[in-house]
Amino acid sequence: MKVIAATKNPGKIREIMEILSPLGIEAVSQGDAGIDVDIEETGSTFEENSLIKAKAVALFCDCPVMADDSGLCVDALDGRPGVLSARYAGEDANDDDRMNKLLEEIKGIENRNAKFVSVVTFVFPDGRVLSARGEVEGYIMAEPIGTNGFGYDPIFFCNELGKGFAQASSEEKNNVSHRGRALRNLYKKLEKELKK
């Protein structure tokens, strides 16, 4: 089954294929499918934004579409940056700008607990919708450590791995990552749905 993924990120396509290909799913990016659409993420939750993205791409094709929305939620900031993770320091900001803003905001705060959250939504052409969530717990370190990963990885210490995300190999990170967990949860739901 061919599925359009509402992403332009080849890393996400690889991760989707690694987890969902045993179900006979072949994921193709929206770019490779010739769908060029700018999607405004207006939702206030990961679930809403994931569904907005999937439905926006589904308007341009007649095959299943999947999308994800993910971000970092910090306890001391009432869950921020959350759905605004990618735009936290402004539209033109880079990873360093976002990390520095976050570190500045929690300077001197003892509770640095945080989690990465990902929600994956799968929309069938007939309108059926499946959604799955994945999370990984940790805390925000005092400064960036490690050279792997991207986004907030250099300041996120993963409790399960006992090291920062940017210190972990991609294999280690994928084993516990929020998106990997969301995709594995989606796998179970899809498996049931496809048997009907």
Side-chain angles (χ1 to χ4, degrees):
M1 178 193 335
K2 183 178 166 188
V3 175
I4 310 288
T7 182
K8 295 169 186 165
N9 182 334
K12 283 188 186 180
I13 298 293
R14 268 196 308 277
E15 197 171 6
I16 290 166
M17 286 300 294
E18 279 171 19
I19 294 170
L20 298 185
S21 63
L23 291 174
I25 286 173
E26 182 202 345
V28 177
S29 74
Q30 67 181 70
D32 288 344
I35 299 170
D36 185 21
V37 57
D38 282 324
I39 303 161
E40 204 173 329
E41 297 174 35
T42 55
S44 58
T45 65
F46 296 114
E47 284 80 3
E48 288 173 5
N49 279 336
S50 180
L51 182 59
I52 286 168
K53 289 191 246 188
K55 283 187 165 178
V57 171
L59 293 173
F60 296 90
C61 62
D62 58 0
C63 60
V65 173
M66 62 185 296
D68 85 288
D69 194 48
S70 52
L72 178 67
C73 301
V74 180
D75 287 2
L77 300 178
D78 298 322
R80 288 191 326 271
V83 294
L84 298 175
S85 291
R87 306 178 293 283
Y88 197 49
E91 289 295 330
D92 298 323
N94 62 26
D95 287 349
D96 287 340
D97 297 332
R98 289 183 279 277
M99 279 191 293
N100 290 334
K101 177 178 166 108
L102 183 62
L103 289 172
E104 191 58 41
E105 283 194 307
I106 63 167
K107 199 181 253 181
I109 294 175
E110 266 185 52
N111 175 8
R112 299 173 79 89
N113 290 339
K115 64 184 174 185
F116 271 116
V117 176
S118 176
V119 173
V120 181
T121 300
F122 194 98
V123 176
F124 289 92
D126 63 11
R128 283 174 297 153
V129 175
L130 296 177
S131 182
R133 185 179 179 101
E135 297 184 359
V136 60
E137 304 272 343
Y139 64 84
I140 304 301
M141 297 184 285
E143 60 186 37
I145 296 172
T147 54
N148 299 331
F150 58 92
Y152 296 95
D153 288 356
I155 58 171
F156 183 78
F157 184 92
C158 175
N159 294 339
E160 284 170 79
L161 293 178
K163 61 172 89 169
F165 257 4
Q167 294 172 293
S169 69
S170 60
E171 191 178 339
E172 286 175 316
K173 183 185 164 188
N174 288 345
N175 284 335
V176 300
S177 86
H178 47 305
R179 188 175 302 107
R181 286 182 170 159
L183 284 167
R184 284 188 283 277
N185 289 336
L186 179 70
Y187 181 101
K188 292 175 199 158
K189 292 184 177 187
L190 270 172
E191 196 173 30
K192 278 185 194 163
E193 194 68 25
L194 295 173
K195 281 178 182 167
K196 285 182 181 175

